[in-house]
Each structure stands twice: as structure tokens, then as C-alpha cells.
Amino acid sequence: MKFFLTALFLITSMKTFAFTVESGEPKFPTNEVSFDIAGNSCSNIGLSVNELQDFAEEAVDEFWNKVSTCALELKRGSISTADVSSDDATSQAGLNSLYDKAEENRILIGCNSNATLFPANSSTLAVGTIMSGSGGMRGVVLINNTATTPFTTMSKRDKLATIAHEIGHAFGLGHSSDPIALMYYATGAKIQEMLSIDDFDGCSYLYPHKSPGSCGSVAIVDKDNHDLGSGNGPGQQALMAFVIGLLSIFGLNRFLVKFRQ
């Protein structure tokens, strides 16, 4: 019984992650990242360029900018003169072209009707990626703007979630295996009202808050006035966790013995 309880305690103390990051763990070197909107038409998705900018701002505010444990702050940028309507993100030449159109440490969002990227009746809503080069890190989000785009039949909430999902790729996140996560690899029939804990973990992993420093602490001293340290080091924390675990197991075991009596 003691072995079982010890194993149970250790298992429940562990945390697993479902999120992934893009290959090589690319990320922006700054925590403040602006998004710009490409200037070409978005007529097939029923949004003007200015409306798309408002959508993108609402998407980041409703999702990513609410993660208190993630230092990333996504900000509204400008309307770019770039035209991303025909770029093919499936080819290296197309990615190079998109990289040149985006700006350093910024995300470029635009509408695209390239037939190779979004073939007729494609169910793909949008794509997003982060790229590195001699000009620094740059992110791109392309929304399906073909004549048969499924984007137009979605609810506003689903459109916001779609844009937020692709922006997640554009700042470095991969897909999650958690079905309730925004970064889950398939949208299915779910309604994405908010981020999951896994989304929080992914964003916080890539863009962690730096330590805010210390307000000072009092050293722990025994009765013979021997300094035992501040009590905040990993050694003390590990020992405390071990002691608490043993006490919990001992107490539960005594309870079970009494219960059987």
C-alpha cells in the first residue's frame, strides 16, 4: 500500500504537455510584436483591409494577450503596401517572397487566392508560419480568399479563433494534441471560446516572463544561530516537497488503517 501511494503521489505531481513548437524552436527576439495587414483585396472573405485589421486586433486581445504567464504582447501595426494575394507558401520561392514582404520582428497578415496553396473547394481556412533569415525573424498569416473559401460561412467567433490559431504559428507555436486547445491540429465542430491550459503553457514556454527579482528575504537560522540559507533554493524546496509527500502518504495510510478497523 505504501508503495502504491508513493507511486500515485509521484504520478500526480508530474505534468505533461501537448503543445509543440515549430522546428528549431523559432521565436521573436522581442516580446513586443506588431502585426501588419497586407494592402491587397480581401473581397471573397467579405472583409475590407481595415475590417481585417480590426478582426486581427480583436483576435489577439481575446486570446493571446490574455495569457498572464506569457510575456508576448501582440500589437496592432499598420496597413502595409505589400500584396500577398498570389504568393505560394508551399514553395521555397514563395516563402522567400513572403519573407521579403514582411518586416523584421513583425507578423504580416493578408488574404491569398493562390490555387496551389488553396486549391478549389479546399477546406483549409488559413495558414501561418514564422521564418528566419539574415533580416531577422518574420511571421506571415495567409487567409483563404478564393471564390470557394469556407471562411465566409463561419461564425465571427470561429473566424477570430482561426486568425488567432494562425498567429500562434506565426510567433512560433506548432500544433497541439489537446482537443480543447486553440492550437489543436483540427478545428472539427468545436467552438473555441478561450485558450486552454496547454495554449498558455506553449506561449509561456516560448516567451517566459523574466524573474521580477526579489524584495528581500530573511535567512533561516537554527537555535545555535547557524545560517541555513534563505529557504528559497532548489535544495530546500525539493526537501520540503519530499517531506510534505511523506507526511501526506503517512497520514493517508493511517487513515486507511483506521477505516479498515
Side-chain angles (χ1 to χ4, degrees), residues 82-133:
D83 184 337
V84 298
S85 59
S86 59
D87 292 274
D88 178 12
T90 65
S91 70
Q92 190 58 53
L95 289 173
N96 291 341
S97 173
L98 289 167
Y99 181 85
D100 291 338
K101 292 176 181 178
E103 294 187 26
E104 184 177 5
N105 297 331
R106 299 172 82 94
I107 296 172
L108 180 62
I109 303 172
C111 297
N112 181 281
S113 54
N114 182 277
T116 303
L117 181 60
F118 300 116
N121 299 314
S122 171
S123 61
T124 303
L125 298 168
V127 296
T129 187
I130 185 172
M131 300 174 284
S132 63

Side-chain angles (χ1 to χ4, degrees), residues 18-20 22 123-127 161-162 165-166 169 173-190 192 196 198-199:
F19 73 84
T20 62
E22 297 295 347
S123 61
T124 303
L125 298 168
V127 296
T162 296
H165 174 102
E166 300 307 334
H169 289 314
L173 283 179
H175 282 136
S176 171
S177 59
D178 181 358
I180 67 171
L182 174 71
M183 296 308 297
Y184 186 58
Y185 61 87
T187 56
K190 67 174 181 174
Q192 194 74 42
S196 72
D198 195 66
D199 296 314

